């Protein structure tokens, strides 16, 4: 496969950016080789700088549920931007996107738009602390919540740990208030409440953990978290930056019928533009400035062009059968990939999210259940897939996304590409 242009661009990028990229996983370190520089996308396909064409399952890491350069999103964006791209003043488009979301999502009553998932989560944590007057937060190993300081922590040894930063530059004093426990572990959560009664402001979880493999939790576990939070006057935050508008319009909250206290959104909500949001009941949201004393602001928050893209995309998501069609296509793909294979892998899936793991296990529900050694198979598979015209996130810990734009022909081609790639293992 020709990739001299990507190689050239990457060499140049390395002069400008640390590791040649503006977000680490793009550097291909976990699969090796040179990142594919993308020139353009349309529908389910992308084209790289060397002219190679791929069927894309990365979808910009989830936002592009309609595929690339969707005509309705583009025309809405174009129309809006001709009237100016930013005012730093309220616009009617913010109302429109908020109304669209709040009308069809009974899990939140008020919302605030920000510019990324990281910002949404960071603000939600501050809100939880401000509202409860407590300091500690509890998160799960294997869930990603963006790169704000208090969430860059990793589990240590022991049931309940805190204070292990996962990045240089994060002071221990900041993460000393972040408790880390394993997913799918009730005992650890109970123990944390025993050790820190009346101190935990919130539990934050990806209700569909999809940033470190796809670590699907039982509904009973999420319900357990709901109940223990209620009992301890701790807020439950669902970080739905991936799952929101992905598994259904009401996200994982709707999928499992469990009402968290705060929900964060990102990715799909912005139609491919930088948008995040957090929402909660009117009462909780009244703590946010200028109504309350929890400060949060943004120069480009509620940006009109981004709002226009979000409105166009979410309007499509509300069409009848939108989510069932996506799920059906995902099932067809998975059936095709898992039939007649002699290889030892499983595909875990919910809605239009899927994750391939080389494992014998029936379920993988926590980060410790993932066999790090098996990633060597993924490396081989990944490059063979690229050569056969299939692009996905360059790490075995990343999930794939089906979009509305994927056709049955794409899916058949993907199955053939996988068959060829598996032959290389
Ligand atoms: C992507 C993601 C984030 C971070 O969002 P950014 O827009 O990359 O800052 C936070 N939480 C979850 C669950 C995510 O998937």
């Amino acid at each position: 496969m020709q990739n001299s242009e990507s190689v050239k661009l990457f060499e140049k990028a390395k002069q400008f950016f640390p590791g040649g990229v503006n977000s680490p996983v793009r550097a291909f370190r976990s699969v090796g080789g040179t990142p594919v520089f993308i020139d353009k996308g349309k529908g389910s396909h992308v084209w790289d700088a060397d002219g190679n064409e791929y069927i894309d399952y990365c979808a910009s890491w989830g936002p592009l549920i309609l595929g690339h350069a969707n005509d309705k999103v583009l025309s809405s964006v174009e129309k809006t931007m001709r009237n100016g791209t930013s005012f730093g003043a309220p616009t009617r488009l913010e109302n429109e996107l908020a109304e669209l979301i709040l009308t069809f999502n009974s899990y939140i009553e008020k919302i605030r738009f920000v510019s990324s998932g990281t910002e949404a989560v960071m603000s939600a944590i501050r809100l939880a602390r401000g509202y409860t007057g407590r300091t500690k937060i509890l998160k799960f190993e294997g869930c990603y919540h963006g790169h704000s300081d208090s969430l860059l922590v990793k589990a240590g040894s022991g049931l309940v740990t805190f204070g292990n930063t996962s990045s240089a530059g994060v002071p221990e004093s900041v993460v000393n208030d972040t408790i880390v426990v394993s997913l799918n572990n009730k005992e650890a959560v109970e123990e944390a409440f025993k050790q820190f009664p009346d101190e935990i402001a919130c539990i934050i979880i990806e209700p569909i953990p999809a940033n470190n493999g796809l670590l699907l939790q039982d509904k009973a576990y999420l319900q357990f978290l709901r109940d223990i939070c209620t009992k301890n006057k701790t807020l439950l935050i669902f970080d739905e930056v991936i799952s929101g508008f992905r598994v259904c319009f009401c996200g994982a909250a709707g999928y499992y019928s469990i009402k968290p206290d705060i929900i964060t959104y990102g990715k799909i909500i912005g139609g491919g533009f930088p948008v995040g949001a957090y929402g909660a009941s009117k009462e909780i949201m009244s703590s946010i400035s200028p109504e309350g004393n929890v400060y949060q602001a943004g120069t480009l928050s509620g940006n009109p062009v981004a709002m226009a893209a979000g409105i166009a995309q979410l309007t499509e998501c509300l069409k009848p059968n939108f989510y069932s069609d996506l799920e059906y296509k995902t099932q067809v793909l998975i059936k095709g990939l898992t039939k007649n294979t002699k290889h030892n892998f499983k595909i875990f899936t919910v809605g239009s999210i899927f994750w391939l793991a080389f494992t014998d296990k029936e379920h993988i529900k926590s980060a410790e259940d993932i066999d790090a050694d098996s990633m060597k198979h993924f490396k081989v598979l990944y490059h063979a897939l690229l050569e056969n015209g299939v692009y996905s996130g360059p790490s075995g810990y990343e999930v794939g996304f089906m979009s509305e734009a994927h056709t049955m022909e794409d899916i058949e081609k993907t199955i053939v590409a996988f068959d060829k790639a598996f032959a290389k293992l």
Side-chain angles (χ1 to χ4, degrees), residues 116-119 121 144-147 206 211 239 241-242 267:
S116 71
T118 295
E119 204 188 341
V121 174
Y144 177 69
H145 302 293
H147 66 90
E206 285 181 77
N211 276 288
D239 180 358
V241 172
I242 277 193
K267 301 198 167 101

Side-chain angles (χ1 to χ4, degrees), residues 23 60-61 63 115-121 143-148 151 204-211 238-243 264-267 273-276 401:
S23 196
S60 187
W61 305 99
S115 300
S116 71
T118 295
E119 204 188 341
V121 174
C143 285
Y144 177 69
H145 302 293
H147 66 90
S148 65
L151 293 160
I204 182 163
I205 187 169
E206 285 181 77
I208 295 176
N211 276 288
F238 275 5
D239 180 358
E240 299 228 40
V241 172
I242 277 193
S243 55
T264 57
Y265 296 114
K267 301 198 167 101
F273 282 78
V275 183
F401 299 99

